[in-house]
Amino acid sequence: MLIVQKYGGTSMGDCSRIENVAKRVIQSKEHKNANLVVVVSAMSGVTDKLVEYTHHFSALPNPREVDMALSSGERITSALLAIALESMGYKAISLSGRAAGIITDSIHTKARIQHIDTSLIQDYIKQGYIVVIAGFQGVDKNGAVTTLGRGGSDLSAVAIAGALGADLCEIYTDVDGVYTTDPRIEKSARKIDKISYDEMLELASMGAKVLLNRSVELAKKWQIPLVTRSSFSKDEGTMICNEEDIMEAAVVSGIALDKNQARVSMVDVADRPGIAAEIFGALAESHINIDMIVQTIGRDGKTDLDFTIPQSEVEEAKNALKRFESEVGMIEFDCEIAKVSIVGVGMKSHSGVASRAFKTFAQENINIMMISTSEIKVSVIIELKYAELAVRSLHKAYELEK
Ligand code: ADP
Ligand code: ASP
Ligand code: MG
């Protein structure tokens, strides 16, 4: 049996926590008589600090150098865990992303994994080692270190589990599993025992950072059994599985909050064919992720275009949009917004889900700035100051505590 485990930043937060992780790793190995590959995050707060350092000298630092700096946090914890395991009498070895054979494209700070050459990992497993891999990183074809985007260690773990054909991928974090909403915002949030890949993907994409969306996407594609659980408790956690494996689907499974979005408002844009293609083309060239888009009806040859992007990409977006200044009245960036989303597969067959959300916002006097929907999701953009209130009110309105 082969198990891939991933331990997040809080779980690896200091030396005594790393010791706790080492004990859990050994326990899994002994109890399940399994081979273990362990993927680790940097200590919590370290990646944030490294980001801050890299932006000290420039608002737009060279992304190649940013990656070089950011990848160091995980190298430290992987080595420390290997040392801790050895001190407990187990054979353990740490590997950087490069040594683990994680080959990515060259889009620095949000690289995509192209291929994993598992030969070295497999050699060490055969020799009886617990293999500890630095998460969040890989290497491109030119030998430059890349990182996979914030929260990327989840993706490292799932991709390695897939490449090795592991029997199980366990993501250890600081909460007991996936809850109906962030338990730090709503105390009555309930842990979900089983959730479908699709719902988890929507929740993760909409801001529930307990799992990175791209890791869920990959787990679904490769049908990797995925569990998220706490490194601080014995709780069995949440199983992420196919919709068919869940007896009764809830109409609404959870509420997600994303406070890291920014709204870009382009006012009085020249209303001519091709303008949207040019604007979004320029943003795509700069690898900026667009989420919601709203265009108002044109008047007098002008139109307004609003869309959302990650806050961390505002500077790049400003740069990319400069060339449209002559064709746009005004471009505004607003970071004081939040995106609140309601997710559930039951929405496919139940009506009135969205209207209940709108009614809840009306009762709380919260103004809706933008709306978008998919088959299993309703998202709205509201003012940042109402974010937590909105989550709590919706949690109650859909009776998710029950
Ligand atoms: P790690 O460092 O282990 O990767 P993260 O901080 O990335 O951990 O993710 C865990 C956090 O996700 C929790 O502490 C919790 O505050 C947050 N979270 C947001 N939404 C949810 C949810 N629906 N269920 C559980 N946790 C959630
Ligand atoms: N350390 C990285 C981050 O903070 C990756 C991760 O924790 O998954 O984003
Ligand atoms: Mg995380």
Side-chain angles (χ1 to χ4, degrees):
M1 180 173 196
L2 175 64
I3 303 175
V4 173
Q5 296 186 335
K6 176 255 169 175
Y7 291 89
T10 312
S11 310
M12 298 293 290
D14 58 34
C15 290
S16 79
R17 288 189 170 171
I18 293 178
E19 192 177 322
N20 171 53
V21 166
K23 285 180 187 153
R24 285 203 83 129
V25 170
I26 291 169
Q27 237 171 36
S28 307
K29 186 173 171 63
E30 298 296 349
H31 284 179
K32 297 187 180 146
N33 195 18
N35 287 315
L36 262 280
V37 172
V38 184
V39 174
V40 294
S41 284
M43 292 185 192
S44 62
V46 166
T47 311
D48 287 336
K49 197 75 207 164
L50 294 168
V51 170
E52 203 183 304
Y53 288 149
T54 56
H55 285 74
H56 178 80
F57 310 96
S58 158
L60 274 177
N62 182 341
R64 183 195 181 280
E65 304 309 332
V66 172
D67 273 353
M68 193 65 186
L70 294 198
S71 63
S72 62
E74 272 73 8
R75 296 175 77 113
I76 297 171
T77 45
S78 61
L80 293 181
L81 180 58
I83 294 171
L85 287 164
E86 277 189 324
S87 76
M88 293 174 188
Y90 286 79
K91 277 169 84 172
I93 190 156
S94 66
L95 299 177
S96 65
R98 177 204 300 263
I102 298 169
I103 314 298
T104 71
D105 62 20
S106 304
I107 319 265
H108 284 286
T109 75
K110 46 185 142 179
R112 296 200 150 255
I113 298 177
Q114 291 178 328
H115 169 70
I116 304 184
D117 174 1
T118 58
S119 47
L120 194 59
I121 306 178
Q122 272 168 337
D123 273 0
Y124 282 119
I125 295 174
K126 274 194 207 113
Q127 293 173 49
Y129 281 92
I130 298 170
V131 182
V132 185
I133 301 176
F136 179 51
Q137 57 184 277
V139 65
D140 76 358
K141 60 179 189 309
N142 306 315
V145 175
T146 52
T147 65
L148 308 176
R150 297 306 304 269
S153 297
D154 294 341
L155 179 63
S156 306
V158 171
I160 290 166
L164 291 170
D167 300 288
L168 178 64
C169 181
E170 293 179 311
I171 307 286
Y172 283 86
T173 182
D174 55 5
V175 286
D176 277 336
V178 181
Y179 282 70
T180 46
T181 193
D182 189 338
R184 294 183 205 286
I185 296 175
E186 175 53 57
K187 293 282 165 275
S188 71
R190 211 169 23 80
K191 200 205 81 185
I192 304 168
D193 292 330
K194 277 184 170 184
I195 189 166
S196 67
Y197 290 112
D198 291 332
E199 285 171 299
M200 191 61 234
L201 182 57
E202 284 282 14
L203 280 174
S205 301
M206 294 304 123
K209 70 170 184 160
V210 62
L211 279 175
L212 182 72
N213 55 356
R214 284 153 64 202
S215 70
V216 181
E217 200 174 35
L218 199 62
K220 181 187 177 185
K221 191 165 141 198
W222 288 352
Q223 290 289 297
I224 299 165
L226 184 64
V227 168
T228 175
R229 55 190 302 183
S230 169
S231 58
F232 303 101
S233 82
K234 293 265 169 251
D235 195 286
E236 306 249 311
T238 301
M239 177 91 203
I240 295 96
C241 55
N242 290 311
E243 203 178 312
E244 305 81 77
D245 300 333
I246 299 171
M247 287 286 276
E248 219 175 327
V251 177
V252 169
S253 306
I255 315 282
L257 172 63
D258 187 348
K259 298 205 282 188
N260 296 313
Q261 294 278 309
R263 181 170 67 143
V264 185
S265 304
M266 301 182 78
V267 183
D268 286 343
V269 180
D271 196 11
R272 60 167 176 82
I275 185 81
E278 284 168 35
I279 289 172
F280 293 112
L283 293 164
E285 260 170 45
S286 299
H287 309 290
I288 293 165
N289 289 311
I290 316 289
D291 183 28
M292 292 185 186
I293 303 177
V294 176
Q295 184 179 346
T296 52
I297 294 170
R299 39 165 169 58
D300 307 328
K302 305 264 190 217
T303 185
D304 295 341
L305 197 55
D306 279 28
F307 52 91
T308 58
I309 60 173
Q311 261 174 39
S312 58
E313 293 172 8
V314 164
E315 289 304 321
E316 277 120 319
K318 280 184 183 163
N319 218 17
L321 294 175
K322 259 198 194 120
R323 72 174 97 149
F324 298 100
E325 269 165 6
S326 63
E327 281 196 283
V328 178
M330 191 170 58
I331 308 180
E332 272 181 352
F333 293 83
D334 182 3
C335 291
E336 296 296 303
I337 60 155
K339 182 168 64 186
V340 183
S341 308
I342 303 133
V343 173
V345 282
M347 278 184 213
K348 288 189 222 172
S349 48
H350 286 76
S351 56
V353 174
S355 72
R356 192 184 304 186
F358 302 148
K359 203 166 134 197
T360 308
F361 286 125
Q363 279 162 355
E364 299 293 344
N365 224 351
I366 300 173
N367 191 36
I368 298 173
M369 298 158 127
M370 290 168 104
I371 303 171
S372 88
T373 61
S374 80
E375 213 182 11
I376 63 166
K377 172 207 81 181
V378 179
S379 292
V380 297
I381 297 287
I382 57 171
E383 265 185 89
L384 182 63
K385 63 180 179 194
Y386 295 123
E388 281 79 13
L389 172 66
V391 169
R392 289 194 201 106
S393 315
L394 289 172
H395 198 268
K396 196 161 178 199
Y398 293 105
E399 302 182 334
L400 294 181
E401 73 283 1
K402 287 185 187 154

